[in-house]
Amino acid sequence: MTSPTPAPTPIPAPTAERTEGIDRIVDELVRGEAAWAACGLAERRTLLERVHEATAARAEAWVRAAAAYKKLPDQDALLGEEWTSGPYPVLIGTSALAQSVRALEEGRSPVDDFSLGRAPGGRVAVRVLPHDTYDRLLLSGFSAEVWMPPGVTSDAVRGGAGLGLRRPEETGGVGVVLGAGNITSIPVLDVLYELYAHNRVVALKLNPLTDGLHDVFSEVLAPLIERGVVRIVTGGADVGTYLVHHPRIRHVHMTGSALTHDAIVYGTGAEGAARKQAGTPLLDKDITSELGGVSPTIVVPGTWSEADLRFQAEHVVTQRLHNGGYNCVASQVVVISSDWPQKDRFLEQLRAVLAEAPQRAAYYPGSDERVGQALTAYPDARRIGERLLVEGLDERQPGPALTTEYFAPVLGVLELPGDARQFLDTAVRTANEKFTGTLGVNVIAHPRTIAELGEALELAIAELRYGTVALNAWTGLGYLTARASWGAFPGHTVDDVQSGIGVVHNAVLLDGPERTVVRGPFRPAPRSVLHGELSMSPKPPWFVTNRTGAGTGRLLVDFAARPRWSALPKIFASALRG
C-alpha cells in the first residue's frame, strides 16, 4: 500500500559493517527455521496469544508513534484511523488465527465453524463475518464472504484449509517481508501470515517511514523474536536490496507499487526495462505482493433522499481521504450515470464533503508532486484546499486517472450512460478493462435498486475481477476483517503484476481464495431501522467525518484485547455520538 513513485536510481551497496550484520541476522533465521519446524501447533498458538497480549500492552505507544510520523496532533478525531488500522487488526487477527490453529490441534478443519454457501458461477462462499454475537452487535448489518474459484467443492475447501499448518514440520525457508509505510498493521500481519500460512521464518525490513515503530514492533513480536523465527531490520533501499538478493533468502513478500515491484524484480533504468522485456528477472526468487492500483467506486443510479446523498458522499470521500489518501485501496475514480436525475445534486454533496472533511498534513513522500502531476494532466480540475477533484473524465480519453495510482488526495469522476441495469453492465466492463489494478472495487446502490436488479447484481459482483468487492461498504472493511482474504484478483504474474500476487490475512487459512465480498447497510442507524434495513450500525468510526473516531477506536482496541459484554455500552455510546 505504498506510493507508486518513479523507479529509483541505481542503489549503492550497504557498508561492509551493515552487510555483516545482515548476514548474521540471516544466519540466525536459518537456525530459527529448524526451531520453527520443531514447534508444534499448541506452542504456535501460545505464541500467537502472547503476541496478542503484547499488542494490547503496547497499543497506546503504537498509536503515538504512528501519529508522530503522520503529523496528527493529540486529540485529533483522525487518530481513530491509527487505533483501527494499527493495533486493532493485529488483535483481531491473532485471535482469529489462534482459533484456526486450535481447530487443527483438535483434528478439525478451520472452516468447520463457518457456514458454506453458494455464489454465482458454481462458487463456494465461506461466510466469515459475522462470526459470533459480538460481530453481529459491533458490525450490525455488515457481512463478508470469501468466494472460492469456480469448481472448488465444499469438501476441497474443508480439506485444504490450514495451509502450511497442516504440515508444520515442512518449513518454507527464510523469507523477507518488505513492510509498508502507510498502514501500520501491515508489517506485523504480513509477518504472521508468512509464519503461519507458509511455515516461513521472516526478516522484516521496515519502511524507513515506520522506523519510529521499531521498538513497538520489537515488543509486539518479541515472543517470535525470542523463538528465533523473526528479525526486524531497518535501513534504506541499499539494505533492502542486499537482503532480498541474499543467497540464503528463498522468498520475498512486499507491499508497495507495481513500479517498486518491477525495480526489485528487474532492476532500474534502461537495463531493468530490457530485463523485463526479455523476461530475465534480476531477482529470480519466489515473490508475493500486495500493490494497490486505481480503485473505482460505482454509484448505481436510483431515487435517494437528501440524507442518502449526503451520507454516501461522506462514504465516497472517506474511501478517498482515509489515511490522507495514502491507501492502496483508496477510491480514485467515482463512476456515476450521466442519465441519473440526481447526478448533479450528488456531485454538489461530494464537493461539499471534500471541502468540509478535516484537513491534515501530507505526510507521505511525494504527495504534493503527485497532486501537481494530476493537475498538469487535468488543468481544469477543481482545487479544494490541498485536494483535487477531476470531473468530466472521458472513458474514451481518460488520461492517467484510470491508469496511474496517484496515492494522494486526488479524486476523479467518470460518467457513463444508462439506467441502473445498463449503467451497471457498462461500469463493470469499464472497471475490468480500463482501470489499472485489481485490488478493490466499491459498489453503492439503494436497497430498492438492489431488489430491482436482483440476480443481475450478484452476477455483476461475480464478473468484477477484483480481490475485494464491497457493496454499500468500503473495501477497507475487507482489510479489517481478519478472516477475509486480502490481495489482488488471482492470475497476475511477475511480468504483469498489476495489484500483486497471492493473498494475506485469511485467518481461516483457506487454500486459493478468489475474492472477498463485503456488504453493508445503505443508511446508518437510526435511519436504517426506520427504512426497514436490518442494521443498528451508526456512521462507521472509519468515516473521516466521524467526530468521535478517536474515542471509538480506542474503545474498540480495548475490547479486541479483552472481549467482554461490559465494554459494549461505552462503544455504542461513543459510536452514536459520531
Side-chain angles (χ1 to χ4, degrees):
M1 298 171 81
T2 52
S3 158
T5 53
T9 55
I11 298 164
T15 64
E17 181 181 4
R18 198 73 172 99
T19 59
E20 289 173 5
I22 297 171
D23 291 343
R24 185 166 56 252
I25 285 171
V26 174
D27 288 344
E28 291 170 355
L29 288 170
V30 169
R31 293 191 293 272
E33 183 184 3
W36 196 236
C39 189
L41 292 176
E43 184 179 357
R44 294 191 188 196
R45 177 174 50 80
T46 299
L47 288 168
L48 278 172
E49 292 165 352
R50 290 176 58 199
V51 170
H52 183 277
E53 293 168 1
T55 302
R58 299 299 290 159
E60 182 91 34
W62 185 325
V63 171
R64 283 201 307 270
Y69 86 84
K70 296 186 181 185
K71 303 176 185 178
L72 289 174
D74 294 343
Q75 311 308 317
D76 195 316
L78 292 176
L79 285 171
E81 295 179 355
E82 301 313 314
W83 287 102
T84 56
S85 65
Y88 180 75
V90 175
L91 288 167
I92 61 174
T94 48
S95 293
L97 191 52
Q99 291 177 16
S100 292
V101 179
R102 183 181 288 279
L104 292 164
E105 281 181 74
E106 296 172 353
R108 300 182 292 110
S109 169
V111 300
D112 282 350
D113 294 332
F114 296 82
S115 66
L116 304 185
R118 306 300 299 178
R123 295 172 170 90
V124 172
V126 183
R127 174 63 67 93
V128 295
L129 181 77
H131 183 57
D132 56 28
T133 303
Y134 289 142
D135 285 347
R136 292 181 178 87
L137 292 171
L138 290 172
L139 288 167
S140 174
F142 290 90
S143 66
E145 295 176 332
V146 178
W147 289 10
M148 303 302 290
V152 176
T153 66
S154 297
D155 287 344
V157 172
R158 292 189 181 90
L163 298 176
L165 289 182
R166 302 187 73 84
R167 296 170 300 280
E169 71 285 352
E170 297 179 13
T171 51
V174 181
V176 171
V177 166
L178 299 176
N182 57 343
I183 296 296
T184 59
S185 56
I186 293 175
V188 176
L189 291 173
D190 288 352
V191 165
L192 294 176
Y193 199 70
E194 288 292 290
L195 276 168
Y196 283 82
H198 300 301
N199 284 342
R200 195 176 288 128
V201 299
V202 180
L204 168 61
K205 163 63 176 66
L206 295 183
N207 185 302
L209 275 178
T210 62
D211 280 354
L213 280 154
H214 176 273
D215 291 349
V216 171
F217 287 166
S218 295
E219 294 181 41
V220 165
L221 294 170
L224 299 165
I225 293 171
E226 293 163 4
R227 197 70 176 79
V229 299
V230 171
R231 291 290 183 268
I232 301 177
V233 181
T234 60
D238 57 338
V239 171
T241 300
Y242 183 81
L243 191 55
V244 300
H245 287 282
H246 196 286
R248 304 187 82 176
I249 295 296
R250 288 176 52 185
H251 179 270
V252 176
H253 177 80
M254 66 163 291
T255 301
S257 71
L259 284 174
T260 303
H261 170 276
D262 286 354
I264 291 169
V265 173
Y266 294 103
T268 59
E271 291 182 359
R275 288 191 195 96
K276 184 175 181 181
Q277 180 70 26
T280 54
L282 187 64
L283 182 71
D284 192 16
K285 297 181 181 181
D286 187 34
I287 181 167
T288 53
S289 51
E290 189 262 81
L291 304 177
V294 178
S295 292
T297 295
I298 298 170
V299 180
V300 184
T303 303
W304 297 8
S305 69
E306 278 296 309
D308 295 336
L309 291 165
R310 172 70 186 195
F311 178 75
Q312 293 302 341
E314 293 183 37
H315 195 181
V316 171
V317 169
T318 291
Q319 294 169 7
R320 173 67 269 179
L321 295 185
H322 181 277
N323 195 37
Y326 313 118
N327 283 340
C328 59
V329 78
S331 178
Q332 185 163 300
V333 177
V334 187
V335 186
I336 62 175
S337 172
S338 56
D339 297 320
W340 185 22
Q342 294 179 293
K343 176 196 71 175
D344 291 337
R345 183 61 184 142
F346 177 72
L347 289 176
E348 289 174 10
Q349 291 284 9
L350 195 67
R351 297 180 200 116
V353 178
L354 274 171
E356 296 165 15
Q359 297 292 323
R360 61 182 297 170
Y363 76 87
Y364 209 93
S367 177
D368 291 341
E369 290 83 350
R370 291 189 295 278
V371 172
Q373 291 165 9
L375 191 56
T376 298
Y378 302 100
D380 295 331
R382 186 187 300 260
R383 291 297 298 258
I384 304 176
E386 298 304 313
R387 295 147 188 174
L388 201 65
L389 181 63
V390 186
E391 299 183 50
L393 293 176
D394 188 333
E395 178 195 8
R396 295 161 297 182
Q397 295 179 319
L402 274 62
T403 57
T404 299
E405 182 189 12
Y406 281 119
F407 213 75
V410 176
L411 181 64
V413 179
L414 173 66
E415 298 185 21
L416 299 173
D419 61 14
R421 187 179 294 267
Q422 295 166 334
F423 166 80
L424 183 60
D425 289 344
T426 304
V428 168
R429 184 168 60 254
T430 301
N432 283 341
E433 297 175 1
K434 299 295 182 67
F435 283 71
T436 293
T438 65
L439 187 63
V441 58
N442 311 281
V443 180
I444 297 174
H446 192 285
R448 189 181 305 112
T449 305
I450 292 173
E452 291 169 355
L453 289 170
E455 186 182 5
L457 179 58
E458 291 302 301
L459 293 173
I461 291 173
E463 191 175 339
L464 283 162
R465 296 192 296 270
Y466 286 81
T468 298
V469 181
L471 175 61
N472 288 340
W474 177 35
T475 47
L477 180 59
Y479 175 90
L480 291 177
T481 302
R483 295 178 174 91
S485 61
W486 182 253
F489 195 77
H492 301 314
T493 57
V494 290
D495 59 337
D496 183 22
V497 74
Q498 294 280 320
S499 290
I501 299 168
V503 300
V504 290
H505 303 186
N506 186 30
V508 188
L509 300 172
L510 297 168
D511 187 8
E514 181 187 69
R515 76 181 81 194
T516 288
V517 177
V518 178
R519 304 172 197 261
F522 180 74
R523 309 175 181 90
R527 287 197 305 117
S528 56
V529 179
L530 296 175
H531 287 85
E533 288 189 83
L534 299 178
S535 171
M536 293 292 291
S537 290
K539 180 187 293 184
W542 55 82
F543 268 42
V544 294
T545 52
N546 192 303
R547 298 187 301 270
T548 61
T552 304
R554 181 190 289 269
L555 291 169
L556 285 169
V557 167
D558 175 70
F559 176 82
R562 189 168 62 90
R564 58 206 184 278
W565 291 103
S566 61
L568 296 180
K570 284 186 177 180
I571 296 174
F572 293 150
S574 179
L576 286 167
R577 290 196 304 272

